Amino acid sequence: MKDEFEDKIEQWAKDLARERDELRVQLHLLKAEARDEFEELEEKWQHFESTMGRIGDSTKESVGEIGAAAEQLGEELGQAYKRLKNAVKK
């Protein structure tokens, strides 16, 4: 016959196993979500590189407009990369 202590230990082990399994699923989903977000960021990165390349080819008049767009896109990418990096660390 099991005593109360053995029942508590058994329940504790079951709870830990359940938490472990739930965490494993959450980590898997986080990785998939992070991968999806990174792929979206890659598209923005391609646009950013293209915009930066056009700056060198543009006239002085349009450089300001393109530069402002590139700056905004660069800031957006930087924030998204930080957010993604922090999410992966968690």
Side-chain angles (χ1 to χ4, degrees), residues 6-19:
E6 288 175 317
D7 287 341
K8 284 183 179 180
I9 295 293
E10 218 173 89
Q11 185 60 47
W12 181 60
K14 286 179 185 177
D15 290 345
L16 284 175
R18 187 188 72 253
E19 287 181 31

Side-chain angles (χ1 to χ4, degrees), residues 33-72:
E33 186 178 303
R35 190 172 31 254
D36 290 345
E37 186 171 350
F38 187 78
E39 287 174 10
E40 288 177 24
L41 290 173
E42 281 297 286
E43 290 179 24
K44 287 185 178 185
W45 175 256
Q46 296 300 321
H47 181 68
F48 178 75
E49 283 188 316
S50 172
T51 301
M52 294 303 291
R54 288 194 329 230
I55 288 175
D57 298 336
S58 299
T59 65
K60 288 183 181 182
E61 191 173 300
S62 63
V63 168
E65 294 173 15
I66 294 172
E71 182 178 3
Q72 181 180 357

Side-chain angles (χ1 to χ4, degrees), residues 68-83:
E71 182 178 3
Q72 181 180 357
L73 186 55
E75 287 176 8
E76 200 176 300
L77 281 167
Q79 291 171 357
Y81 284 144
K82 279 183 184 177
R83 185 178 61 252

